[in-house]
Amino acid sequence: MRLLATGRAVRFTWSKRSGTISRAKLWINVNIQYQQRPQSTAAHTAAPTFKSPVKAPALEVDGKLYSVDDWTNVPASILSFLPRKLHLQPSHPVSITRQVIESNFPSPTYTHYNHLHPIVSVAQNFDSLGFPQDHPGRSRSDTYYLNKDTVLRTHTSAHEAEIFRDNKSEGYTISADVYRRDAIDRSHYPVFHQMEGARMWDRRKVLGGDVAKAVWKDLELLPKHNLEVEDPNPTIHPERNPLQAEHHTTEEAEAIAAHLKKSLEGVVVELFSRARNAAAAAGNADANAIEPLRVRWVEAYFPFTSPSWELEVFWQGDWLEILGCGVTKQELYINAGVPHKLGWAFGIGLERVAMLLYSIPDIRLFWSNDPRFLSQFSTLEKISTYVPFSKYPACYKDVSFWLRSSSSSAGGGSKANAQDFHENDVMEIVRDVGGDLVEDVRLTDEFTHPASGRKSFCYRINYRSLERTLTNEETNQLHDDVRKSLVEKLGVELR
Ligand code: PHE
């Protein structure tokens, strides 16, 4: 992050990335705010204690100022994604996927929230959900901080507490962009979209106060399906997947879990039957190649649900996790002032599902403005397999470096020595320089020098554009810039 201490709003941009024209055109305002020392209100202090202004740099995003501190790690390149909102773009596969799933959670039982702002407090994203202080999700290597109290939401669950407090309907969905510092490969991107869903019942309102009975009755109203789902574990397991025994009876948790699983299985059936029907209607011989659909429930852990599960779909030889869910922790309802409610919640990755649904091979494609990609998607009714328009050649290059030895005093506080080195920092530097021209980055070698104890890493960077053939000069220049940036930002020594 480059901050200019000029005392007025400054504008800057970053290197242009091929194909992402709208991004190159975007500007982020970085404002430098002057703060005054607080004036004493004591009567005897006649003279104001006004001192020369203290310079306090701040980030301006969507007209709001966020002070900058030691925690700030969000680069301008990431902030530039905020206006994109793929889940709202008409005819975008992320948006179509959202609408198909929403259709399974109809109003008025469910309210659909699609416009919640991505900048949230640490309290919303983590504290309100009971994340322990040492949870890895809180670390600066995993999460984008605007400052120590403010983050780009890492999941749509960040809004659960406020919507429970709002208490508008028995259920809701939230679709939104979420941000995580992560690896670079064909299924990971630092920005993606999730849909959160929740359903609750009110102890005071169900017939005879019998929640379990009311939930089973509602379950009967869900559309039937004949998909066989593997679900080998008991709903409740005392160690691995415990009942919230102080709040729920076994019958209540069983009923809520059954309603949750049936609702989500309905989503999977809906998505894949649309894909299959569309393929069949188009006379596509591949109609059955989309399937056979194999789906299974596995036990999981989330700080804000118990018991918890993940739903996995078998796709191209692997089990792929598409959603997490569980019985909502009662503390969330209690803290939101609705202690008599109980129910379930889930979070589903929209790109993951869209990749399955349309056979989209690379997550970078969702961000493409290339009409050869975008024109292939039209309506909910017409889901068809994505036809790759071309596969341009890849070019990989290696970079090897030594970390600073931990005793070295050279370099600034953010420089990487053996203790604070995190792979996600390498990923981000590569992403910042290469943008969507980088397909993946893999660690290919790692060793510690036997005498000096210094650590060495080698990463292989695969450069490939989705839209054209890169020239040699271009790739060499990119790689050179990556190498320079690694030295500059991480203080590594190239080998
Ligand atoms: N927020 C979780 C995630 O991002 C998913 C989740 C949502 C799990 C709601 C349980 C309940 O992984």
Side-chain angles (χ1 to χ4, degrees):
M1 172 64 59
R2 195 159 59 96
L3 288 170
L4 302 182
T6 59
R8 61 195 161 83
V10 292
R11 296 187 125 187
F12 68 102
T13 188
W14 50 94
S15 58
K16 187 170 176 339
R17 296 163 179 191
S18 160
T20 52
I21 302 146
S22 67
R23 209 179 324 161
K25 273 194 199 149
L26 274 162
W27 300 84
I28 299 293
N29 275 335
V30 178
N31 271 1
I32 305 302
Q33 196 190 26
Y34 281 86
Q35 286 182 344
Q36 294 181 353
R37 291 260 176 90
Q39 292 187 26
S40 168
T41 49
H44 64 267
T45 346
T49 55
F50 183 82
K51 297 270 169 60
S52 61
V54 179
K55 266 183 213 158
L59 271 172
E60 186 188 326
V61 185
D62 289 342
K64 262 196 158 176
L65 285 174
Y66 300 89
S67 62
V68 166
D69 59 27
D70 287 354
W71 282 78
T72 310
N73 67 351
V74 56
S77 54
I78 292 295
L79 289 174
S80 75
F81 285 99
L82 265 62
R84 294 287 300 274
K85 302 185 204 308
L86 301 184
H87 65 294
L88 299 175
Q89 269 186 42
S91 304
H92 193 282
V94 169
S95 166
I96 294 174
T97 305
R98 164 185 67 80
Q99 294 171 67
V100 173
I101 304 175
E102 277 176 355
S103 71
N104 268 47
F105 298 102
S107 98
T109 306
Y110 295 88
T111 308
H112 304 295
Y113 296 87
N114 291 330
H115 298 273
L116 297 171
H117 200 273
I119 298 180
V120 300
S121 63
V122 168
Q124 286 171 292
N125 200 79
F126 297 121
D127 304 344
S128 73
L129 295 158
F131 275 71
Q133 282 306 322
D134 61 354
H135 193 283
R138 290 184 184 256
S139 71
R140 288 174 77 249
S141 51
D142 284 30
T143 294
Y144 291 110
Y145 280 83
L146 282 95
N147 58 41
K148 72 175 190 345
D149 302 316
T150 319
V151 296
L152 290 177
R153 72 181 149 224
T154 63
H155 54 174
T156 40
S157 305
H159 301 286
E160 273 195 14
E162 67 206 73
I163 297 181
F164 288 157
R165 184 165 291 119
D166 227 23
N167 199 11
K168 254 181 113 165
S169 48
E170 296 169 305
Y172 62 76
T173 68
I174 307 166
S175 297
D177 39 333
V178 301
Y179 298 76
R180 292 186 196 172
R181 297 185 87 220
D182 214 335
I184 300 179
D185 63 39
R186 281 193 266 169
S187 62
H188 289 88
Y189 206 77
V191 194
F192 58 102
H193 295 77
Q194 280 188 332
M195 183 190 291
E196 186 91 358
R199 172 79 156 93
M200 52 223 126
W201 290 265
D202 190 326
R203 282 190 190 288
R204 299 172 316 183
K205 293 196 182 143
V206 297
L207 204 67
D210 190 340
V211 176
K213 198 168 163 198
V215 176
W216 283 113
K217 217 173 126 220
D218 284 335
L219 186 146
E220 287 309 313
L221 303 174
L222 294 174
K224 304 269 176 293
H225 67 72
N226 51 14
L227 173 70
E228 246 186 68
V229 183
E230 299 167 39
D231 192 4
N233 296 301
T235 306
I236 293 160
H237 186 281
E239 283 94 43
R240 298 191 314 253
N241 225 357
L243 173 75
Q244 299 174 54
E246 62 283 33
H247 300 295
H248 305 154
T249 64
T250 303
E251 291 70 34
E252 286 169 349
E254 291 275 1
I256 291 170
H259 190 281
L260 165 65
K261 287 178 175 173
K262 191 52 143 296
S263 303
L264 291 169
E265 289 163 5
V267 168
V268 172
V269 169
E270 170 84 36
L271 286 164
F272 287 90
S273 60
R274 275 187 200 247
R276 206 202 257 123
N277 291 346
N284 189 338
D286 277 352
N288 284 315
I290 303 168
E291 295 303 282
L293 186 57
R294 280 182 70 196
V295 179
R296 72 175 182 196
W297 287 106
V298 297
E299 292 173 337
Y301 167 80
F302 301 102
F304 41 97
T305 50
S306 192
S308 310
W309 301 274
E310 282 168 356
L311 185 63
E312 295 185 341
V313 175
F314 195 71
W315 187 62
Q316 298 189 350
D318 275 320
W319 284 103
L320 201 73
E321 177 222 320
I322 60 164
L323 65 87
C325 64
V327 177
T328 303
K329 285 260 180 92
Q330 203 59 31
E331 286 77 14
L332 267 78
Y333 298 120
I334 296 170
N335 295 338
V338 287
H340 38 271
K341 300 241 166 166
L342 64 169
W344 53 248
F346 72 84
I348 189 165
L350 292 178
E351 277 86 348
R352 271 273 162 96
V353 174
M355 285 173 90
L356 293 175
L357 195 55
Y358 293 98
S359 299
I360 294 173
D362 190 314
I363 197 166
R364 289 177 293 166
L365 282 161
F366 292 108
W367 300 93
S368 171
N369 286 312
D370 193 316
R372 289 174 295 177
F373 176 74
L374 291 175
S375 67
Q376 295 196 29
F377 311 93
S378 54
T379 61
L380 310 198
E381 280 64 44
K382 251 193 90 219
I383 286 172
S384 50
T385 305
Y386 167 70
V387 185
F389 45 84
S390 190
K391 183 127 178 143
Y392 297 98
C395 171
Y396 70 79
K397 295 194 182 286
D398 292 341
V399 56
S400 309
F401 54 81
W402 294 105
L403 294 187
R404 290 188 314 144
S405 64
S406 45
S407 57
S408 159
S409 59
S414 65
K415 303 288 165 77
N417 59 32
Q419 275 87 50
D420 58 22
F421 174 77
H422 198 291
E423 182 163 290
N424 281 349
D425 296 333
V426 175
M427 298 294 169
E428 186 148 290
I429 286 168
V430 176
R431 183 85 78 183
D432 232 22
V433 173
D436 287 351
L437 300 180
V438 178
E439 182 164 284
D440 57 56
V441 179
R442 276 184 306 119
L443 181 67
T444 51
D445 190 37
E446 175 181 0
F447 84 97
T448 307
H449 192 279
S452 69
R454 282 179 93 192
K455 278 196 129 180
S456 157
F457 292 92
C458 178
Y459 284 92
R460 175 157 293 180
I461 305 175
N462 203 13
Y463 298 92
R464 187 206 307 264
S465 165
L466 292 164
E467 290 156 357
R468 63 197 172 82
T469 300
L470 296 176
T471 65
N472 267 336
E473 295 76 56
E474 207 174 350
T475 318
N476 287 338
Q477 183 63 52
L478 280 172
H479 195 63
D480 224 45
D481 290 347
V482 165
R483 288 164 58 88
K484 281 194 195 117
S485 192
L486 286 168
V487 171
E488 218 174 87
K489 295 194 172 136
L490 290 185
V492 302
E493 186 186 319
L494 297 175
R495 305 189 52 192

